[in-house]
Amino acid sequence: MFDLGGYWNIKADPEDEGLSQSWFEDALDGDVHTIAIPGSWNEQLEEQGFKNYVGKAWHETWFTIPEVMQNNHRVWIRVGAADHRATVWVNGTYIGEHVGGYVPFEFDVTDALIEAGEPNHLVLCVDSTLSMHTLPQDVDPNSPMYDTPAYQRRHLYPATRFDFFPYGGLTRSVNLVITPREYISSISIDSALEGKVDVKVQAPVFHKLRVQVLDADSAILCESESETANEFNLKIENPRLWSPSDPYLYKARVSLYVNSVIVDEYDEEFGIREIKVEGGKVLFNNEELFLAGFGKHEEFPIIGRGQFRPAYIKDHELMRWIGANSYRTSHYPYDEEMMRLGDRLGFLIIDEVAAVSLGFWSNNFEDLKPLLDTHKQAIKELIERDRNHPSVISWSITNEPNLWAEEFYQNEAGKQYFKELYDFTKTLDSTRPVISISMAMFKEEDIVLESCDIIGINRYYGWYTKPVDLDQAAQDLANELEATFQKYGKPILITEFGADTVEGLHSTTAQMFTEEFQTAFTFKYLEVMEACDFVCGAHIWNFADFLTPQHFRRVVWHKKGTFTRDRFPKSVAFKLREHWNTFEKIKDTHRPAKPREGFLVPDIKKPIKKGVEYS
Ligand code: GCB
């Protein structure tokens, strides 16, 4: 695999003329800029007018392949994510199109390559435009509803249906992948606590497949092979379980034979652990689970929603420092490297599709089918990508549908929509609970709560409603939690609660936006929910401040972060650290390895050597 990241060319296409003028044929010309890939175009090229640009932009680079690699191999272009639609050409030949951001896709480009050793021209047209049939959706500018005075006050710039910045571009790595002519195309692994390991392999052509299970030291524990089957049932004796405190990973080594020779081989890591919902509780390896952590965003200064490996490590380290054991990939799938880190470092992840503030436009279920198809496809692609990660404990299939309070929601069509989605998810993966997340409007009556195993609720009593009155907020929250549990008997995760906070603002009285108010708000909520047996966790909104469209209620950034956008702690972080690191509802086995002691963490120092000459 070769990383095609680096400095590419980019040209915006606001008039949508690139296709008709065949911009994919020759090197881009005219208003062409240099852009670092991976990375969103918005902040990098702010001074060139890209800051708020939503639309098409053409990207190009060149790559060469040495002869030994090109001959007798297949060559693929793999794109980690293109937000939100990408069309690909190589040397002027149309290769394919992928719709939907945040997930990877790949194309076989072998037949479009020129002679080995010569530069190939790769062009991707990336379109960040959304619609009512995409995920996420757009606001429908043609709907008369958005012209009413009530909605005029909700308009955002750039216009979005959601509260995060609409970055566009090639946000994750673009790779050249060289495989043999015959190759393994996918591996999926299911395991159970007693050591059962089921591996399913896809390969377009094979004469024999072999699967071996290896421990972390690469010793072979068991194996199986077949000339006809592609499903293997293996067993590990006395398995070492995966948990946050001991994130132990096995490997499935899959070998593909053609004419008795191994032509392709792949190692896929997995962990043995179980997550289930029983009697209003979530059990992890048969112990009651309490999730402490955050809703996050995948975004950073300058790089936008671009792959940023050091920040991925830093974020996990900050979560370890604060005593969190989990997070949600709000409001879209994150870089798959985050899941890999979660596997290694022992974090529990709720994996979300980009179905944020879903809006329906009809009371007739049939009319909603195009959106439902997109939604199912997004769930399918997410599960295909992430199902082998032990860190992924649940699929989040929607966040706050009907946030925009459109009139078509609380009805039979809506119920059927979510029921189909839930059933569909379960057919793809029955081993993980499904979570659906509601907003406050219909409380326990919200139709989305019927179709899930874990109820997620985002609540802002004391902030968006009845601001400042935290005692009232506590009462409202307690009442709603009780009523919701009575109605469904399902565990409830508070997936969001929080207060916008400007670091450095202080007050001696209850004053929104100050650090003291954020702390008071957070701990009032924790007090209420931690007293309820059926609440399986608290995810604070948000881990860090993030960029959002412009609106009078946001001062450039969304400020509900526990950390600033550049990852410095606000005062609430220290109190949370004290609380979560000692909170008895979080079992020791459900905590990632402890951070270093103390507040002033000593640096790692080299011992001073005596007698060494000073230079
Ligand atoms: C929510 C949304 C989240 C927002 C948050 C807020 O419920 O899920 O995307 O950022 O509220 O603070 O308004």
Side-chain angles (χ1 to χ4, degrees):
M1 190 153 90
F2 300 91
D3 186 357
L4 293 182
Y7 296 111
W8 290 38
N9 291 333
I10 184 172
K11 181 177 177 179
D13 185 10
E15 304 297 331
D16 197 6
E17 52 196 16
L19 195 58
S20 60
Q21 294 178 6
S22 306
W23 288 6
F24 48 85
E25 269 179 358
D26 300 312
L28 295 171
D29 61 3
D31 205 5
V32 179
H33 306 281
T34 300
I35 182 167
I37 297 299
S40 314
W41 59 59
N42 310 76
E43 280 190 60
Q44 290 190 59
L45 288 167
E46 181 165 0
E47 286 73 23
Q48 294 289 356
F50 277 81
K51 174 69 187 286
N52 300 299
Y53 180 60
V54 176
K56 285 186 177 162
W58 294 68
H59 297 66
E60 73 177 352
T61 191
W62 284 264
F63 62 88
T64 41
I65 309 175
E67 203 176 318
V68 286
M69 289 187 187
Q70 191 160 329
N71 289 347
N72 301 318
H73 287 88
R74 274 178 206 281
V75 178
W76 307 75
I77 296 293
R78 185 176 195 271
V79 179
D83 298 346
H84 295 283
R85 173 193 288 258
T87 318
V88 182
W89 290 265
V90 171
N91 299 322
T93 304
Y94 170 80
I95 300 293
E97 184 181 55
H98 180 264
V99 182
Y102 316 113
V103 283
F105 57 90
E106 61 212 2
F107 293 116
D108 182 346
V109 301
T110 316
D111 295 338
L113 298 174
I114 54 174
E115 207 178 311
E118 296 295 319
N120 292 280
H121 184 212
L122 171 64
V123 174
L124 280 113
C125 175
V126 181
D127 188 354
S128 65
T129 316
L130 296 168
S131 76
M132 285 300 278
H133 293 174
T134 57
L135 285 190
Q137 291 171 299
D138 200 1
V139 276
D140 179 359
N142 300 318
S143 165
M145 145 176 182
Y146 299 103
D147 265 343
T148 62
Y151 282 94
Q152 277 161 8
R153 291 170 69 91
R154 299 177 67 174
H155 289 178
L156 303 169
Y157 182 75
T160 62
R161 187 174 252 284
F162 41 81
D163 184 18
F164 54 90
F165 198 80
Y167 293 107
L170 290 172
T171 52
R172 298 187 191 141
S173 41
V174 182
N175 288 302
L176 192 68
V177 181
I178 316 261
T179 67
R181 286 264 158 196
E182 266 57 82
Y183 59 96
I184 296 163
S185 55
S186 88
I187 300 168
S188 76
I189 304 170
D190 282 331
S191 59
L193 290 191
E194 71 286 357
K196 207 162 76 66
V197 182
D198 298 333
V199 182
K200 190 169 175 188
V201 183
Q202 302 289 352
V205 177
F206 66 93
H207 293 174
K208 184 167 94 178
L209 288 169
R210 184 185 67 191
V211 177
Q212 299 175 311
V213 173
L214 283 68
D215 67 14
D217 299 322
S218 293
I220 298 170
L221 303 179
C222 51
E223 63 179 85
S224 167
E225 57 183 52
S226 169
E227 287 176 6
T228 49
N230 66 338
E231 294 192 30
F232 300 85
N233 310 112
L234 297 111
K235 175 103 206 282
I236 302 174
E237 299 302 333
N238 305 316
R240 180 161 161 190
L241 302 187
W242 185 97
S243 67
S245 64
D246 183 20
Y248 187 83
L249 294 171
Y250 290 97
K251 268 186 290 233
R253 176 165 296 163
V254 178
S255 315
L256 169 82
Y257 289 76
V258 174
N259 299 328
S260 314
V261 176
I262 295 181
V263 294
D264 199 9
E265 194 164 74
Y266 198 86
D267 281 356
E268 178 74 345
E269 284 181 329
F270 67 97
I272 297 188
R273 54 103 187 97
E274 184 186 68
I275 173 111
K276 62 184 182 203
V277 171
E278 239 174 54
K281 299 204 185 305
V282 179
L283 303 180
F284 186 88
N285 292 346
N286 287 323
E287 278 187 301
E288 189 174 345
L289 177 65
F290 191 88
L291 295 167
F294 301 93
K296 284 181 98 273
H297 265 295
E298 185 175 70
E299 74 106 53
F300 314 94
I302 303 173
I303 200 165
R305 183 154 302 114
Q307 186 175 57
F308 190 1
R309 291 182 175 129
Y312 296 170
I313 299 282
K314 175 81 178 171
D315 281 7
H316 281 98
E317 286 307 325
L318 285 174
M319 286 191 279
R320 185 203 302 283
W321 174 86
I322 210 169
N325 62 2
S326 55
Y327 60 93
R328 173 169 63 115
T329 71
S330 37
H331 291 306
Y332 38 79
Y334 291 1
D335 192 337
E336 58 208 298
E337 295 198 7
M338 287 289 279
M339 316 295 130
R340 243 172 252 147
L341 278 178
D343 293 346
R344 267 197 213 181
L345 304 177
F347 282 84
L348 303 172
I349 303 172
I350 295 180
D351 211 354
E352 185 158 290
V353 279
V356 49
S357 27
L358 217 59
F360 296 153
W361 56 88
S362 165
N363 285 331
N364 182 350
F365 174 70
E366 293 302 313
D367 295 342
L368 304 178
K369 283 267 178 72
L371 179 64
L372 183 62
D373 288 345
T374 308
H375 206 149
K376 285 182 174 172
Q377 181 65 18
I379 291 175
K380 183 167 171 284
E381 289 182 32
L382 180 65
I383 294 182
E384 275 170 4
R385 192 194 72 167
D386 288 348
R387 66 174 304 137
N388 298 340
H389 293 290
S391 56
V392 173
I393 54 163
S394 172
W395 306 114
S396 167
I397 57 174
T398 189
N399 176 79
E400 294 198 355
N402 202 40
L403 176 69
W404 283 71
E406 281 119 331
E407 59 182 287
F408 316 100
Y409 177 70
Q410 193 67 358
N411 57 31
E412 285 308 313
K415 273 191 200 173
Q416 194 176 342
Y417 184 98
F418 291 116
K419 168 91 175 58
E420 280 213 13
L421 217 52
Y422 172 82
D423 292 344
F424 176 75
T425 311
K426 286 293 195 188
T427 59
L428 297 180
D429 179 14
S430 58
T431 69
R432 290 175 175 89
V434 165
I435 183 164
S436 296
I437 299 169
S438 75
M439 44 97 71
M441 191 170 187
F442 297 107
K443 302 198 171 60
E444 69 274 12
E445 300 302 329
D446 196 317
I447 51 159
V448 79
L449 302 183
E450 290 177 16
S451 298
C452 61
D453 304 305
I454 301 175
I455 289 177
I457 66 169
N458 298 346
R459 290 300 176 267
Y460 293 94
Y461 300 126
W463 185 261
Y464 291 128
T465 54
K466 303 185 201 154
V468 182
D469 189 345
L470 294 184
D471 289 333
Q472 184 63 49
Q475 192 58 61
D476 291 347
L477 179 67
N479 293 347
E480 189 190 343
L481 285 174
E482 197 53 46
T484 307
F485 186 68
Q486 287 308 326
K487 186 165 160 71
Y488 301 99
K490 299 177 187 176
I492 304 175
L493 175 65
I494 318 294
T495 29
E496 286 183 24
F497 61 105
D500 285 81
T501 305
V502 181
E503 64 279 15
L505 277 191
H506 297 285
S507 174
T508 52
T509 58
Q511 174 65 58
M512 293 168 86
F513 294 100
T514 61
E515 297 203 31
E516 289 71 23
F517 188 77
Q518 182 181 37
T519 303
F521 183 101
T522 305
F523 279 84
K524 184 60 93 174
Y525 269 65
L526 289 178
E527 189 187 316
V528 173
M529 64 182 83
E530 288 172 358
C532 299
D533 275 355
F534 49 83
V535 169
C536 61
H539 275 181
I540 290 170
W541 191 253
N542 189 284
F543 173 74
D545 294 346
F546 56 91
L547 194 68
T548 192
Q550 298 183 47
H551 188 262
F552 55 77
R553 65 177 186 163
R554 301 274 183 255
V555 190
V556 186
W557 297 286
H558 184 119
K559 297 292 295 175
K560 293 197 183 74
T562 303
F563 297 89
T564 58
R565 195 180 184 217
D566 45 2
R567 277 47 181 176
F568 291 106
K570 298 180 189 169
S571 16
V572 69
F574 296 92
K575 244 196 127 193
L576 275 168
R577 178 174 198 261
E578 257 173 57
H579 178 62
W580 275 344
N581 275 302
T582 52
F583 183 43
E584 74 286 351
K585 276 198 175 181
I586 309 174
K587 303 264 180 317
D588 283 346
T589 45
H590 300 166
R591 291 177 184 279
K594 284 265 190 195
R596 283 167 166 251
E597 285 299 316
F599 162 59
L600 293 173
V601 180
D603 289 340
I604 297 171
K605 292 214 175 73
K606 284 192 185 163
I608 300 165
K609 287 189 193 150
K610 291 208 174 116
V612 176
E613 236 171 78
Y614 185 78
S615 58

